[in-house]
């Protein structure tokens, strides 16, 4: 625990992914999913959903290795960037302050760290605005993505991940627990919905998926139909379906580099100060798919490597608990 007060995190704000083929990535994320291009140059694309008023929620940049460059949280005030710098300096990991213009296009003063879980994370306040697209229905295309909703990260030690994000003031909306209350997964939030970040047990640090929100479940179904219609169904990994945890309607897709994205809609409000955590048993077949449909093994096992602040791939350590090994019908494994 640090003595310094935690920065006041508002929400999960954007992810920067390295992609090996920018044109193929553009086809997937812009043409198929309908992300709006806020800015692009020869090496990168800055994208946002139709509800997002800030410059971007996803940056795709050309890279040798398909990897997570960093995830990024918006903090409430410029002072919170200073607080984040002090908070993570006290934790002892790498910390890099970036002046406006030194980091991501559109973002002002920021701090990037490698957190105790091994993830590259940025905290910023200042970001440029974009045109209000909420009612530019003429520009709503493909999956009609509204906004980034959450990061899901693979980490071997879920209790450690839970403790770290609690120290950053995140609430916990739901968990998956064993018979002795061992923690298999947790969903944690700062904005008043189910999660800004969630943890999947597994070798880590790795990025499991980005969760992006649409307004309606028919847009989730339409996304699957569009990929099917174009004979691109190989990009559909899991679902459509109804989650137990979060109650959201979902489909998981893999982009041309294998980065996983979840199209997600209709979770619930968590904003009251005494909001209670809803706890699922790892033996409940409905927890991951409310209708008991099996979770394909790749969903548990495959994830995106992450980079350190110098762009080198972070080594991973294996998981302490393996949910997919639990004899649970819904997983259809074992
Ligand atoms: O599969 S789960 O119901 O546990 C689930 C719930 C919410 C999510 O965002 C998710 O990716 C997975
Ligand atoms: Ca498939
Ligand atoms: Fe998710």
């Amino acid at each position: 625990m640090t003595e310094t007060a935690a920065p006041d995190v508002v929400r999960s704000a954007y992810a920067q992914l390295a992609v090996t083929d920018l044109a193929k990535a553009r086809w997937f994320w812009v043409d198929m999913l309908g992300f709006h291009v806020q800015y692009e140059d020869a090496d990168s694309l800055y994208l946002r959903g139709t509800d997002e008023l800030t410059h971007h929620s996803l940056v795709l940049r050309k890279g040798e290795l398909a990897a997570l460059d960093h995830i990024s949280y918006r903090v409430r005030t410029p002072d919170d960037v200073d607080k984040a710098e002090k908070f993570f300096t006290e934790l002892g990991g790498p910390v890099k302050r970036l002046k406006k213009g030194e980091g991501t296009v559109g973002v002002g003063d920021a701090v990037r760290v490698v957190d105790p879980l091994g993830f590259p994370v940025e905290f910023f306040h200042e970001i440029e605005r974009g045109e209000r697209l909420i009612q530019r229905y003429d520009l709503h295309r493909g999956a009609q993505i509204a906004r980034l909703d959450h990061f899901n990260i693979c980490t071997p030690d879920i209790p450690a991940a839970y403790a770290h994000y609690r120290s950053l003031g995140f609430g916990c909306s739901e968990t998956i627990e064993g018979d002795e209350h061992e923690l298999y997964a947790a969903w944690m939030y700062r904005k008043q919905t189910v999660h800004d970040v969630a943890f999947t047990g597994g070798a880590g640090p790795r990025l499991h998926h980005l969760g992006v929100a649409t307004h309606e479940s028919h847009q989730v179904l339409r996304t699957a139909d569009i990929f099917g219609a174009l004979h691109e169904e190989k990009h559909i990994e899991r679902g459509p379906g109804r989650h137990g945890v979060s109650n959201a309607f979902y489909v998981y897709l893999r982009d041309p580099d294998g980065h996983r994205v979840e199209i997600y809609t209709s979770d619930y409000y968590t904003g009251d100060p005494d909001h209670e955590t809803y706890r699922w048993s790892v033996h409940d077949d409905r927890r991951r798919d409310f209708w008991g449909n099996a979770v394909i093994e790749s969903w548990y096992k495959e994830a995106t490597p992450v980079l350190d602040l110098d762009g080198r791939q972070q080594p991973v350590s294996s998981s302490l608990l393996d949910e997919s090994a639990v004899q649970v019908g819904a997983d259809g494994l074992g």
Side-chain angles (χ1 to χ4, degrees):
M1 282 297 275
T2 71
E3 297 311 310
T4 306
D8 181 349
V9 172
V10 176
R11 63 180 171 94
S12 46
Y14 78 87
Q16 179 161 332
L17 296 177
V19 295
T20 58
D21 182 326
L22 201 57
K24 284 185 181 164
R26 198 184 207 284
W27 166 79
F28 180 87
W29 294 93
V30 176
D31 299 350
M32 295 296 279
L33 294 193
F35 271 91
H36 172 78
V37 180
Q38 181 64 22
Y39 168 83
E40 67 179 310
D41 58 32
D43 303 318
S44 57
L45 281 167
Y46 288 70
L47 308 177
R48 66 185 165 109
T50 57
D51 285 9
E52 291 172 312
L53 304 176
T54 46
H55 190 266
H56 55 267
S57 59
L58 177 62
V59 180
L60 304 174
R61 68 159 177 78
K62 184 124 181 49
E64 286 308 304
L65 172 77
L68 170 72
D69 186 283
H70 60 279
I71 54 175
S72 184
Y73 293 101
R74 188 170 196 201
V75 294
R76 197 166 302 279
T77 70
D79 283 351
D80 286 300
V81 181
D82 298 333
K83 278 187 184 169
E85 183 176 19
K86 280 177 69 181
F87 186 89
F88 283 91
T89 301
E90 270 194 39
L91 286 178
V95 173
K96 193 155 97 179
R97 191 68 184 243
L98 295 167
K99 292 257 162 296
K100 184 180 173 73
E102 289 176 342
T104 305
V105 170
V107 174
D109 183 22
V111 62
R112 284 198 195 150
V113 306
V114 174
D115 74 9
L117 312 175
F119 285 89
V121 187
E122 176 184 272
F123 298 86
F124 74 92
H125 171 72
E126 195 191 331
I127 184 166
E128 286 175 23
R129 290 290 179 279
E131 179 196 351
R132 185 176 187 273
L133 300 177
I134 294 174
Q135 293 175 308
R136 286 295 310 272
Y137 287 99
D138 54 312
L139 299 178
H140 295 188
R141 293 177 298 100
Q144 300 175 354
I145 302 299
R147 57 180 175 79
L148 170 79
D149 185 76
H150 60 269
F151 310 126
N152 188 301
I153 58 177
C154 284
T155 184
D157 187 344
I158 303 284
Y162 173 86
H164 173 59
Y165 273 91
R166 282 294 297 133
S167 76
L168 283 170
F170 281 61
C172 182
S173 54
E174 301 201 28
T175 60
I176 295 177
E177 301 180 15
D179 300 336
E180 314 303 319
H181 301 294
E182 57 276 34
L183 208 46
Y184 279 89
W187 285 257
M188 299 187 80
Y189 63 91
R190 287 291 291 177
K191 69 176 180 294
Q192 302 185 351
T193 60
V194 167
H195 55 322
D196 289 285
V197 68
F199 318 125
T200 300
R206 293 183 299 159
L207 174 70
H208 188 271
H209 66 266
L210 301 179
V212 293
T214 59
H215 284 282
E216 310 270 352
S217 51
H218 68 75
Q219 288 156 330
V220 174
L221 290 166
R222 174 168 159 74
T223 304
D225 283 339
I226 291 170
F227 278 90
L230 296 174
H231 205 345
E232 294 287 356
E233 73 284 358
K234 65 179 179 302
H235 291 280
I236 303 171
E237 180 190 44
R238 176 184 165 204
R242 168 75 65 193
H243 280 317
V245 173
S246 81
N247 192 44
F249 198 76
Y250 71 91
V251 66
Y252 290 92
L253 306 170
R254 306 294 291 274
D255 89 341
D257 276 303
H259 296 308
R260 184 179 290 108
V261 58
E262 178 186 22
I263 317 297
Y264 171 99
T265 192
S266 319
D267 63 359
Y268 56 84
Y269 168 75
T270 59
D272 279 17
D274 53 358
H275 185 83
E276 285 181 16
T277 302
Y278 189 80
R279 301 176 188 282
W280 290 82
S281 161
V282 74
H283 299 287
D284 189 329
D285 286 357
R286 301 166 303 156
R287 70 193 188 288
R288 292 220 177 257
D289 183 283
F290 199 51
W291 308 327
N293 289 321
V295 176
I296 186 168
E297 187 164 6
S298 63
W299 190 89
Y300 276 120
K301 301 295 185 196
E302 296 172 13
T304 292
V306 309
L307 304 178
D308 64 16
L309 301 188
D310 301 315
R312 287 187 304 261
Q313 184 175 345
Q314 290 272 62
V316 299
S317 45
S318 55
S319 182
L320 306 179
L321 283 174
D322 179 356
E323 183 185 337
S324 65
V326 177
Q327 299 291 332
V328 182
D331 290 337
L333 300 170

